[in-house]
Structure formats: structure tokens, C-alpha cells
Amino acid sequence: MCSSDLTQGGYGVAMTVQDKLRETINVKDFGAVGDGVTDDSTAIQNAINSIASTGGVVQFESKNYAIGTGLVIQSNNVVLRANNGTYFGNIGPSGITPTNVNFFNQYGGTILTWVGSSGFGDMLTIAAPSTGPAIQGCGIEGGLLLNGASKALRGFVMISHRGGDFGEILVADCQTRQFEFNCYNNTVSATFPVATWTSIDPGATQHNHFQRITASCWNQESAEGILISGNDVFDTSANVFHEVDYIHKNGIGLNFKSSGGNVIHMVFGYRKPGGTGVGVQLNSGQSVADDPVTN
């Protein structure tokens, strides 16, 4: 293949050999508008579902996509390609403080904003089917911002997934938790009942690589930032986080439960003035699969 074959892929990024070997689709071709008002969740989910059986890339543009229903990935090798924001800097006194409605627009890039019911919904879930086995190879390219708008229940949820590569993800102002890495779902619903693993394939969340995750509870002061957990059988282990940032007040910033062998190269934490929350908590000594002190 000559160099001229690696031309623009129609999305403002040069195509690689890997791109040539996997299907790439754009959410706009499924009807996504990205005006921050129109509910694009059905269009985006249809785009994801269209490559569920084969794997591939779902391309987003530098727009604000309103979603009223949580997006779900439950198959292997589905990658969301987001456009980098203009500034993924530190949140806190030495960086930016999300105190106004224009905060998210200032980031630019690809934004998902929750417009669904208050106190309901996980914005983006990458989860194995409840009967197993674990799924693998999903990821996020570029930088993706999830704005819970103080209404979504949780932001980014990963359940029993491994072997994925993720760029920069920022989740802000979900009511309960911004990030959850687990091997089962705490929110029981028709879509995600508590996992009952029937396969010999382990249900642990393992061997994922994250460039940077940022959790902001600026407007949801009692919410939790990041949970890394599991149960008595499986856990969240052997993942690599190059950078973890969190801002909180009365909730836990970074909460380790059943987990082990995770590597975090750098942690930046900021507790708002007057807060009573815990920055980093290790829930060791419980009846769980792994002691979090091994992280």
C-alpha cells in the first residue's frame, strides 16, 4: 500500500492501515444532529448496534450530542472515536473550575449531555451480557466529555470488559457516581440485571488502558467520583491509568473496593472548600475477591 492510500477518512483525521481493516461509520449518517437539544440517543445507539456483530469505529464530530437514554455497548471491538477538546486541563484551583453553564462548550470536542429524566440513567455503559462471558477490545479514541447535567444517575460504567484502549474521558455532575469499574451492575434493571456468570470465561474487568479519566462533582457535591470494585468472585484488576483526576466535596473522590494490581501513574485530587469527603479510600478487610492495598 502506497502512502497515498492513507488519505483523509472523511472525518478530519488521516486513515491508518488499521482503519482500512475495520468498518468506520458516522453517527450523522444515522440521524444524529448534535445541537445539544435534539435527543440523539436513538441515532447513536443505532450506529453502535450496526457494528455490534463485526466490531468497528463509531465516529463523532465536534458537537454537543443530547442523549435522553443511556448508550450501551455489549459486544466486542466497538470503538467510539471522539474529537479532542480544546483543553483537557486540571480541574481545580490551578486549572479551570466548572462554575457556569458555558463550561462544557468551552471544552469543545465531542460532548454528550444528559437530557433524560432526573435521577435515572447511566450515560455510557460498556458491559458484558448478564450471563457472560466478558467482552473485550472496546475503546474510546480522542477525548469524550459526558455532562450529567445534575440529572443523570451515573456517567461512565464498565462491567466485565477487558483489553480496551481509552483516551481522555471527563464525566461531570452525575448524581450518584461519575465512573464505575466493576464486574456486576449495582443498578438492577431489565437491561442490566445482576450478572449471573454461566461461562467459564472470567467476569473480571481487566487489562484496560486509560490515558486519562477526570471526574468532576462540582455541582453534585455529595456524589462519588470514581469507584473501582468487584464482588466475591471477580474484580477490577490489572488495569493501567496514566492519570486520574477528581474534584469532589462531600463524597469519595477515588474509592477502591474489590480490586488489585491496578497501576495509576498520577492522581490529581481537589476537595472543594468546606468539604467533608474522603479523597482516596481503600475498603480493605471486607469479604471481597481482592484486597485493594495491592493497587
Side-chain angles (χ1 to χ4, degrees), residues 23-267:
E23 182 178 6
T24 300
I25 59 174
N26 196 308
V27 294
K28 69 179 181 181
D29 295 329
F30 291 79
V33 179
D35 60 5
V37 178
T38 305
D39 187 348
D40 288 325
S41 50
T42 298
I44 297 172
Q45 188 64 58
N46 287 341
I48 292 171
N49 294 344
S50 72
I51 58 171
S53 61
T54 60
V57 177
V58 179
Q59 174 72 42
F60 292 81
E61 299 180 347
S62 294
K63 293 183 176 181
N64 185 354
Y65 298 89
I67 58 171
T69 305
L71 305 175
V72 179
I73 298 173
Q74 282 196 288
S75 54
N76 298 324
N77 304 315
V78 174
V79 176
L80 306 184
R81 177 180 290 157
N83 287 337
N84 283 317
T86 56
Y87 179 63
F88 269 77
N90 288 331
I91 293 182
S94 61
I96 50 178
T97 54
T99 57
N100 61 76
V101 295
N102 293 321
F103 164 69
F104 299 100
N105 293 329
Q106 291 168 4
Y107 264 93
T110 300
I111 304 171
L112 301 179
T113 298
W114 186 257
V115 295
S117 301
S118 179
F120 176 81
D122 299 334
M123 295 188 68
L124 175 60
T125 302
I126 300 175
S130 61
T131 55
I135 60 173
Q136 61 185 3
C138 296
I140 294 176
E141 296 179 356
L144 181 63
L145 193 158
L146 306 181
N147 173 14
S150 296
K151 295 193 300 181
L153 195 66
R154 296 186 295 184
F156 180 89
V157 179
M158 177 176 286
I159 305 170
S160 299
H161 174 272
R162 58 191 178 198
D165 192 16
F166 298 83
E168 296 186 342
I169 312 170
L170 186 152
V171 183
D173 294 326
C174 293
Q175 291 185 357
T176 302
R177 184 174 297 118
Q178 315 314 308
F179 288 89
E180 180 170 330
F181 303 94
N182 222 323
C183 67
Y184 67 103
N185 199 16
N186 289 326
T187 304
V188 180
S189 66
T191 304
F192 296 110
V194 174
T196 54
W197 300 102
T198 59
S199 169
I200 60 172
D201 198 18
T205 293
Q206 295 177 323
H207 308 299
N208 296 291
H209 177 271
F210 297 88
Q211 185 64 33
R212 184 181 192 182
I213 63 172
T214 301
S216 172
C217 304
W218 189 271
N219 296 312
Q220 288 293 295
E221 295 180 341
S222 297
E224 187 171 74
I226 303 160
L227 174 65
I228 299 177
S229 189
N231 62 14
D232 287 340
V233 181
F234 304 115
D235 59 19
T236 300
S237 58
N239 300 285
V240 176
F241 301 84
H242 281 284
E243 183 175 344
V244 172
D245 300 342
Y246 62 86
I247 182 171
H248 70 124
K249 186 172 183 179
N250 298 323
I252 301 172
L254 176 57
N255 190 6
F256 289 94
K257 288 190 175 179
S258 183
S259 59
N262 296 293
V263 177
I264 301 178
H265 292 160
M266 181 171 67
V267 176

